[in-house]
Amino acid sequence: MIKLILTTIMTSTFILANMNVVVSILPEQTFVKKIGGDKVNVSLMVLPGNSPHTYEPKPSQMKNIAKASLYFAIGVEFENIWLEKFKNLNRNMIVIDLTKDIEKINMASHHHEHDSHKEEAHHEHSSKDPHIWTSPKNVKVIAKNIYLSLAENDPENGLYYKANYENFIEEINILDSKIKNILSKKKSNSKFMVFHPSWGYFARDYNLKQLAIELEGKTPKPKELIMLIKEAKEENISAIFTQPEFSDEVSKVMANELKIEVIKVSPLAKNWEENLLNISNAIAGNH
Ligand code: ZN
């Protein structure tokens, strides 16, 4: 009985207060804030500078889980281990799957055919590409999933969320046109080189090909590196994109060999729109 009363009190308090939600990665925080505005408190799991493939939450972050009503999962690797623990910690928290209605593509593996270790243990990247948010097309679907779940769980602010959602979709449409314009001089299927293969969906959207240095989450062996350098020369690669969450040692060696630039750009940047414009400009050679 006492438990029931307490639950009732807590529930009514939550209706008056902002909704507490948790996201895995920084771009999701940006998306949820676009739609949730000042009606939602967003806390972030994978703190800047860390990789969502290997992240371990800090004890202080567990407190945010304990008071959250929603968790927006986006299918990054650390969720495989932690989501179950989060659910056990807070059984009232609803987990929303933001990958719903998004068709995942396979990880680019064009040079694996040269790899004699094909049968090696399957890594996280051995099947579907988890980096769905690098595609404006996918982010429209993500935005819709966010909007629907906010409106469902906080119907009083439903119209507010709807207006914000519609504005955000309009922003994404404008962003998409800008990117197309920037890349308009690139030939179809132009290749760009990255260390970690985070940009597969972006490449798909804009008819580009991403050439990754890292193979199935591993740094290439010397023999593989020589083949990559050969390929980069043949493809006239003009820069290598690395991200601060990974070491750029190998990229620097390659860039030095190819006499090209290393450009840091993180798919986990907070300013998602500006970030996509930056990488588009860099791919187009406007750097
Ligand atoms: Zn990744």
Side-chain angles (χ1 to χ4, degrees):
M1 188 59 190
I2 287 173
K3 201 179 168 194
L4 184 70
I5 292 166
L6 272 175
T7 313
T8 314
I9 292 168
M10 280 173 70
T11 311
S12 32
T13 314
F14 278 139
I15 287 168
L16 297 171
N18 266 7
M19 228 188 336
N20 291 316
V21 309
V22 183
V23 298
S24 293
I25 55 170
L26 206 45
E28 276 185 283
Q29 187 184 63
T30 304
F31 307 150
V32 174
K33 280 186 174 169
K34 285 272 180 199
I35 299 159
D38 55 13
K39 309 286 183 205
V40 173
N41 303 328
V42 189
S43 59
L44 172 69
M45 275 294 143
V46 182
L47 297 173
N50 294 281
S51 164
H53 292 288
T54 52
Y55 193 72
E56 298 207 355
K58 295 177 172 28
S60 61
Q61 293 183 295
M62 289 305 203
K63 287 182 196 152
N64 295 331
I65 294 289
K67 60 182 185 190
S69 345
L70 301 179
Y71 191 106
F72 290 108
I74 196 163
V76 289
E77 197 178 352
F78 105 105
E79 290 171 4
N80 298 344
I81 301 157
W82 287 92
L83 217 45
E84 217 39 57
K85 295 179 187 177
F86 296 159
K87 283 186 207 163
N88 288 334
L89 184 67
N90 179 354
R91 295 190 184 276
N92 296 319
M93 183 176 75
I94 301 165
V95 176
I96 311 293
D97 177 14
L98 291 185
T99 72
K100 188 179 167 275
D101 297 330
I102 288 177
E103 205 178 314
K104 289 200 177 178
I105 56 176
N106 292 325
M107 289 302 289
S109 58
H110 71 283
H111 40 260
H112 293 175
E113 60 220 68
H114 310 300
D115 189 353
S116 54
H117 300 273
K118 238 190 252 175
E119 301 307 320
E120 249 174 48
H122 286 277
H123 189 257
E124 83 275 8
H125 279 338
S126 58
S127 51
K128 297 292 179 190
D129 186 344
H131 311 92
I132 55 171
W133 64 94
T134 61
S135 148
K137 200 172 127 192
N138 287 351
V139 173
K140 284 193 200 176
V141 180
I142 291 171
K144 189 176 186 186
N145 290 336
I146 293 169
Y147 156 60
L148 290 175
S149 51
L150 289 181
E152 190 187 333
N153 290 285
D154 180 18
E156 295 216 342
N157 292 311
L159 288 174
Y160 173 81
Y161 298 135
K162 186 166 192 271
N164 286 347
Y165 161 68
E166 283 166 357
N167 283 342
F168 187 37
I169 293 294
E170 198 42 44
E171 268 183 55
I172 299 173
N173 286 335
I174 294 167
L175 173 73
D176 178 56
S177 313
K178 282 185 185 167
I179 295 173
K180 281 181 181 145
N181 189 39
I182 292 168
L183 294 169
S184 59
K185 287 183 192 78
K186 287 303 261 189
K187 271 184 278 168
S188 191
N189 286 323
S190 286
K191 291 185 181 167
F192 62 100
M193 186 166 253
V194 297
F195 179 73
H196 182 72
S198 303
W199 299 93
Y201 294 91
F202 178 84
R204 177 204 63 187
D205 278 12
Y206 300 105
N207 297 314
L208 301 164
K209 281 233 158 76
Q210 122 182 296
L211 199 56
I213 295 176
E214 200 184 49
L215 296 169
E216 311 246 335
K218 292 186 214 80
T219 297
K221 297 174 185 72
K223 206 180 88 187
E224 293 162 341
L225 208 58
I226 290 166
M227 297 189 54
L228 270 171
I229 290 171
K230 192 170 158 258
E231 196 167 1
K233 275 183 188 159
E234 283 167 7
E235 299 290 341
N236 280 319
I237 298 289
S238 62
I240 299 174
F241 299 104
T242 61
Q243 57 185 97
E245 296 82 14
F246 296 92
S247 158
D248 58 3
E249 236 172 274
V250 182
S251 309
K252 279 182 179 160
V253 170
M254 283 196 61
N256 205 26
E257 183 72 27
L258 294 160
K259 300 191 172 53
I260 59 176
E261 265 185 278
V262 172
I263 300 173
K264 272 212 162 91
V265 54
S266 174
L268 297 164
K270 187 179 179 180
N271 46 352
W272 176 76
E273 296 177 42
E274 198 186 318
N275 198 43
L276 291 193
L277 290 175
N278 286 344
I279 193 168
S280 305
N281 271 314
I283 291 171
N286 308 333
H287 55 273

